[in-house]
Amino acid sequence: MEDQIRKLYVEASSRCNLACKMCFRHSWIGERFGDLDPAVFVRVMDDPALSGTETVFFGGMGEPLVHPALAEMAALASARGKKVELVTNGTLLSEEKARELLNAGVTRIWVSIDELYENYGKIQIGSDFGLVLGNLRAFNDLRRGTDVRLGMTAVVMRDNIASLRRIREFAERFEADDLNLSHIIPNRSEDIEQALWPMCDVAAIKAVTDTLDYSWRFEGFDLGTEIPMFKFSQRYRDLLFPDEKSLRDAEFFSWKGKPATRRENWCRFIEEGHCFIRWDGDVSPCMGLLHTADTYLGEHKRRIRHHSFGNVCEQSLGEIWNSEDYRGFRDRVHAFHFAPCLFCGGCELLEENKTDCIGSLAPTCGGCLWGQGFAVCP
C-alpha cells in the first residue's frame, strides 16, 4: 500500500451539460453544484504532500470542461512537473479548447463513449455523436506527433453491451491509446436490470455451476488499471449473445493481446495512493465516497454516504492525508476486513455504508463494486 499521494483526482466541477442514463447525479441526496475555487487549487499544488505525486487527474462526477479556469489549473499542475489528465464527455472538447489544453501541458484526455453510432443518444442524453466525432478528429490532428494520449472509457450495461462489440474497431479508427470498461452501478430502480456484474465471474460461480470457460476481456492500460471480468454463466450467455456471430464479436474485450484480471477485496484507490478533492474542497479517499447517492446491489437499495477526512479550504492537504483518521481508514481498507455485503442475502445494515454485521467503522466497503474489481475508473 502506498503511503504517499501518487495520483490526485480533482473534481473541477460537479456541474455537467449532459444527463447520461447511468450517472450518479440522478440519485444525489442533498448535494450541491459548483466549481472548485482556482485559488484553492493553487494552495493545494504548493502543498509538500504532493512532492511524490505523479499525476493530477481532473475528473469526478461532473464535466471538467465546464470550469472556466480548467486550462489554467492544468498548466499549473504541469508546471509543477505532474502528468495531467482529464475525462470528458467530449461535447465541449472543441478544437479551440483542445489546443488550449495541449498548450497547458495535458498529457492524456479520456473521452466517455458509452454508446456508438445510431444508439449513442440513448445513453448519453443531451449529447450529439456527430459533434463528438468532429471533436475527436480535431483533437487527433492537434496531438499527432506528440506524446499526448487519447483514452476511451465506457460503462457497460445490458442496453449497450451488444453495440459496444464495435468499440475496438471504433477505438482503432480514432487512434485511441487506452481503453477502460466498467460495469454499471445502478442508482435508480429502473436500472437494476442493467447491471451485468451479477451475471459474471464471482457472483456466477457462487450461484450456479454452469459457468463458461470463456473469458470476455478488455485490456490495454499502461498504468495497472484493474479490468472487470465479463465471464457469464450459460444462462446469461444465451441471453446476451444469442448467436455465434455475436459470441465471436464479443472478443472486443480483448485489447492488444493482454489478459484481463479482477482482484477481489482490493481497492486500487488505496493501494496505489490515490486521493480525491471534491469541488468544494472536501477530501475523500475514493470515487464512491465523493457524494451521497442511492445505489442498488441487486434488488437492495443502498445509500452511500459521502465521507470526507477534511477540507483543503480549512487545512492543508498534508495534514488531512496524514491524519490519524485517514491513515486508519487506509489501513482498514488495505486489510479489507469487511462483511461480504456484495454477495450476502441482505439485511438492514446493507441499506447504508455506516457499519456492517462485523462492526466495521464507517465508511464500510464490503458492498463496493470498485473493491471487487467490477467498477473501474481511468
Side-chain angles (χ1 to χ4, degrees), residues 235-246:
R235 66 182 71 176
Y236 296 124
R237 188 277 306 268
D238 294 340
L239 179 66
L240 296 170
F241 301 98
D243 53 59
E244 288 302 315
K245 183 181 184 302
S246 64

Side-chain angles (χ1 to χ4, degrees), residues 9-312:
Y9 285 83
V10 178
E11 186 180 63
S13 179
S14 62
R15 298 182 296 123
C16 188
N17 61 325
L18 301 185
C20 296
K21 180 174 181 177
M22 65 290 178
C23 185
F24 284 101
R25 298 160 81 253
H26 295 303
S27 65
W28 274 2
I29 308 297
E31 293 288 320
R32 298 177 297 125
F33 298 94
D35 298 345
L36 179 68
D37 184 345
V40 172
F41 183 75
V42 172
R43 291 201 303 273
V44 168
M45 291 309 301
D46 288 335
D47 196 300
L50 296 184
S51 60
T53 302
E54 299 161 358
T55 303
V56 173
F57 190 107
F58 291 100
M61 296 299 177
E63 166 56 52
L65 294 185
V66 304
H67 197 296
L70 184 71
E72 289 83 351
M73 293 192 293
L76 176 61
S78 179
R80 296 290 190 271
K82 315 303 181 187
K83 296 177 182 177
V84 182
E85 302 185 26
L86 63 92
V87 61
T88 174
N89 59 47
T91 59
L92 302 178
L93 188 64
S94 64
E95 181 177 353
E96 179 183 1
K97 179 60 68 175
R99 182 178 287 108
E100 186 180 13
L101 293 170
L102 293 179
N103 289 338
V106 170
T107 54
R108 172 157 44 188
I109 292 180
W110 293 86
V111 179
S112 297
I113 303 289
D114 297 294
E115 262 290 11
L116 295 173
Y117 306 109
E118 67 276 6
N119 298 308
Y120 180 80
K122 297 177 182 178
I123 302 294
Q124 296 192 233
I125 311 299
S127 187
D128 181 284
F129 195 55
L131 173 65
V132 173
L133 294 186
N135 289 345
L136 283 172
R137 293 189 186 99
F139 174 64
N140 277 334
D141 288 342
L142 291 170
R143 76 183 181 104
R144 194 163 287 116
T146 73
D147 294 328
V148 177
R149 301 175 72 89
L150 169 64
M152 291 186 182
T153 179
V155 175
V156 183
M157 61 194 88
R158 191 144 169 191
D159 276 354
N160 67 1
I161 190 170
S163 65
L164 283 181
R165 294 199 303 268
R166 294 177 284 178
I167 200 169
R168 181 172 67 179
E169 162 206 319
F170 181 83
E172 290 174 344
R173 173 185 167 194
F174 283 93
E175 306 173 57
D177 303 291
D178 307 285
L179 291 153
N180 179 301
L181 280 185
S182 178
H183 284 274
I184 187 176
I185 302 176
N187 56 80
R188 296 179 294 186
S189 58
E190 58 263 37
D191 292 330
I192 292 174
E193 65 178 16
Q194 295 296 325
L196 295 171
W197 70 264
M199 307 178 187
C200 298
D201 191 38
V202 170
I205 290 170
K206 289 179 181 292
V208 300
T209 58
D210 58 349
T211 55
L212 285 175
D213 187 22
Y214 188 100
S215 240
W216 290 284
R217 53 189 181 269
F218 200 85
E219 184 50 281
F221 304 85
D222 295 334
L223 300 180
T225 306
E226 294 300 301
I227 310 305
M229 294 295 289
F230 291 83
K231 183 175 182 179
F232 299 103
S233 69
Q234 182 71 41
R235 66 182 71 176
Y236 296 124
R237 188 277 306 268
D238 294 340
L239 179 66
L240 296 170
F241 301 98
D243 53 59
E244 288 302 315
K245 183 181 184 302
S246 64
L247 190 63
R248 289 193 304 273
D249 287 346
E251 282 291 346
F252 77 92
F253 287 104
S254 174
W255 178 253
K256 299 184 181 179
K258 298 180 181 179
T261 59
R262 188 194 69 79
R263 289 190 179 184
E264 301 176 56
N265 300 331
W266 187 86
C267 177
R268 176 175 171 243
F269 300 124
I270 297 299
E271 298 299 329
E272 297 182 3
H274 298 182
C275 182
F276 288 72
I277 297 179
R278 199 168 71 163
W279 71 271
D280 59 0
D282 269 4
V283 176
S284 293
C286 67
M287 184 70 75
L289 296 175
L290 268 181
H291 297 275
T292 298
D294 286 336
T295 63
Y296 286 84
L297 289 181
E299 298 289 333
H300 300 289
K301 188 175 182 178
R302 178 174 170 81
R303 180 158 296 179
I304 303 301
R305 295 191 176 275
H306 161 62
H307 194 90
S308 170
F309 290 99
N311 189 293
V312 291

